[in-house]
């Protein structure tokens, strides 16, 4: 006979409940589980709202620098549905992000050039990086150390003037940075 365990979700504080849900969906991995940056970025994208008037085409456009080693982790997610559209990957030369129609721009640590961030800072592009200080440089979401209390940091200033909106569940689990 199978053993069934009932978990009382009502006993958790709202923050702990949101963290538990985030762990379940893969946004904030348990420390013992290694998660590729692509999984985290896709989870963040699912909690992001883009303006209706911007047309990106039939696919969900994810852009990375053409020399970014994280491209390999994103390749396995090609075709994954995000907001009802299949994920497509686009490699971009450094300095050319301003001319690309991207919904998300991901930069591995050390690859987020200030010129690239500035060229897309007010366009409807979700910028995400694991580079320390990324949100203070104008990025929207910074992925921190997996063992940190705040796994994600969000820039209040950048988000406040940006055309994108992050949904409340993501904002509840992210730390906020005020520049």
């Amino acid at each position: 006979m199978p053993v069934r365990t009932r978990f009382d979700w009502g006993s958790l504080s709202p923050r702990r409940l949101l963290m538990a849900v985030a762990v379940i969906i893969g946004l904030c991995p348990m420390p013992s589980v290694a998660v590729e940056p692509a999984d985290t970025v896709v989870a963040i994208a699912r909690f992001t709202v883009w303006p209706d008037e911007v047309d990106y085409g039939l696919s969900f456009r994810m852009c990375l620098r053409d020399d970014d080693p994280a491209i390999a982790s994103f390749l396995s997610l090609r075709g994954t549905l995000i907001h009802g559209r299949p994920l497509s990957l686009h490699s971009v030369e450094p300095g050319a992000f301003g001319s690309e129609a991207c919904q998300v721009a991901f930069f591995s640590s050390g690859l987020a050039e200030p010129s690239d961030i500035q060229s897309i800072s007010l366009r409807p592009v979700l910028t995400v990086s694991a580079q320390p200080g990324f949100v203070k440089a104008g990025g929207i979401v910074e992925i921190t150390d997996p063992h940190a209390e705040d796994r994600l940091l969000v820039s209040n200033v950048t988000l406040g003037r940006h055309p994108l909106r992050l949904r409340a569940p993501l904002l509840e689990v992210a730390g906020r940075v005020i520049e």
Side-chain angles (χ1 to χ4, degrees):
M1 170 177 269
V3 177
R4 294 183 185 203
T5 305
R6 182 171 177 263
F7 186 78
D8 182 13
W9 290 96
S11 65
L12 292 176
S13 70
R15 181 168 170 88
R16 291 207 183 273
L17 177 60
L18 286 170
M19 288 297 286
V21 170
V23 167
I24 291 168
I25 64 169
L27 182 61
C28 299
M30 296 298 287
S32 62
V33 178
V35 172
E36 295 291 331
D39 296 326
T40 302
V41 174
V42 166
I44 293 167
R46 288 184 170 141
F47 286 95
T48 304
V49 178
W50 281 263
D52 290 335
E53 64 272 5
V54 180
D55 182 22
Y56 294 98
L58 298 176
S59 67
F60 186 91
R61 298 178 57 87
M62 179 83 60
C63 297
L64 291 89
R65 279 179 43 157
D66 59 3
D67 60 349
D68 196 321
I71 288 176
S73 73
F74 283 87
L75 285 173
S76 66
L77 296 178
R78 279 186 303 183
T80 299
L81 292 181
I82 302 174
H83 298 292
R85 295 185 309 185
L87 175 68
S88 64
L89 295 178
H90 303 270
S91 63
V92 180
E93 291 182 22
F97 276 89
S99 63
E100 289 292 322
C102 306
Q103 284 176 274
V104 177
F106 174 77
F107 303 92
S108 285
S109 188
L111 297 180
E113 298 291 333
S115 60
D116 285 331
I117 298 168
Q118 292 306 315
S119 70
I120 56 177
S121 65
L122 294 179
R123 294 176 62 204
V125 179
L126 174 65
T127 54
V128 183
S129 180
Q131 183 167 307
F134 181 70
V135 294
K136 290 186 178 184
I140 298 174
V141 179
E142 180 179 323
I143 302 169
T144 64
D145 183 273
H147 304 293
E149 180 180 342
D150 292 320
R151 173 82 171 103
L152 303 173
L153 296 177
V154 173
S155 169
N156 276 344
V157 171
T158 302
L159 193 58
R161 66 174 189 247
H162 208 275
L164 297 181
R165 295 293 160 242
L166 301 181
R167 291 188 182 149
L170 177 62
L171 292 173
E172 289 292 326
V173 298
R176 303 301 284 274
V177 175
I178 301 171
E179 294 94 56

